[in-house]
Amino acid sequence: MAEGSQRGVAAPQAVWAQVREDYLAGRSASECCRIHGVGLTALRGRAAREGWRRTDQPWTPPTRLDPWDEGVALEERIGGDLDRVEFGSLAFVAHRRMMRAVLRGDAMEALRWRRVRLMIDAEAAEIAEAIERDEAEAWHREQDALREAIRANRSDGSDGSDGVFSDRTPDGQR
């Protein structure tokens, strides 16, 4: 059977080029095999022969996010300014990472990302509730101030006036 084959058909060089790129970008060997349909033994053998095992590569500081992760696009969109991140965007990233973990068969990671998403959703709901409560309190304060202003401008009922010309005497003199 040919290297990296499925039912005796060898994987094309274009597939191996993509496997190499994904593997060197940080994907696990088993994930690369699953995505590209090549065998784990074939991947490890080719990587050793061609010198693209991770141990053959020069050391580079680790990046914070994998290039295919939804978090990369989010971080680029906000320009690194965490104050611009919306809870819905974070929940989306957590949900996608959970789904990816499920597809890999990594139940513990999937559960961790699910818990992260639930916590993000709870935090967003708590903040929305606090904002709604603050807006309601502000509205009530405004209504109370309006009622007080109306009470202050009411007539005393003695002459039927509304208090508009209260600085004048009954004969019209000031």
Side-chain angles (χ1 to χ4, degrees):
M1 196 148 48
E3 177 186 58
S5 66
Q6 291 181 337
R7 295 184 283 279
V9 179
Q13 287 303 318
V15 170
W16 281 110
Q18 189 61 49
V19 170
R20 180 182 189 274
E21 183 180 325
D22 288 351
Y23 182 70
L24 290 176
R27 285 198 173 174
S28 69
S30 59
E31 188 174 3
C32 289
C33 292
R34 181 184 55 77
I35 291 169
H36 299 290
V38 298
L40 184 59
T41 304
L43 182 148
R44 293 187 195 278
R46 184 174 283 241
R49 268 193 323 280
E50 295 179 5
W52 49 272
R53 294 178 301 179
R54 289 190 190 119
T55 59
D56 297 332
Q57 306 307 307
W59 182 85
T60 56
T63 57
R64 294 184 306 169
L65 296 171
D66 295 324
W68 58 86
D69 190 278
E70 289 80 7
V72 171
L74 176 60
E75 189 167 19
E76 288 173 0
R77 191 170 72 237
I78 63 165
D81 183 4
L82 296 178
D83 292 330
R84 292 178 48 205
V85 178
E86 296 175 0
F87 283 110
S89 297
L90 288 176
F92 173 76
V93 170
H95 182 71
R96 296 298 291 237
R97 288 177 179 173
M98 177 191 72
M99 290 173 30
R100 200 173 287 115
V102 167
L103 292 175
R104 279 195 313 266
D106 190 343
M108 291 305 294
E109 184 179 354
L111 289 172
R112 281 192 299 269
W113 282 115
R114 180 179 182 275
R115 190 169 39 241
V116 168
R117 176 161 186 208
L118 291 174
M119 292 180 78
I120 290 169
D121 289 343
E123 180 78 13
E126 186 176 317
I127 288 173
E129 184 179 306
I131 290 170
E132 187 176 316
R133 187 173 49 249
D134 289 347
E135 288 174 349
E137 289 172 1
W139 182 84
H140 283 292
R141 282 192 301 274
E142 186 177 308
Q143 294 302 309
D144 290 344
L146 284 172
R147 278 192 287 278
E148 185 60 34
I150 291 169
R151 267 190 237 120
N153 286 329
R154 283 206 176 130
S155 169
D156 62 3
S158 63
D159 63 357
S161 72
D162 62 1
V164 174
F165 302 109
S166 60
D167 61 333
R168 295 184 183 202
T169 60
D171 63 357
Q173 301 293 319
R174 281 190 179 230

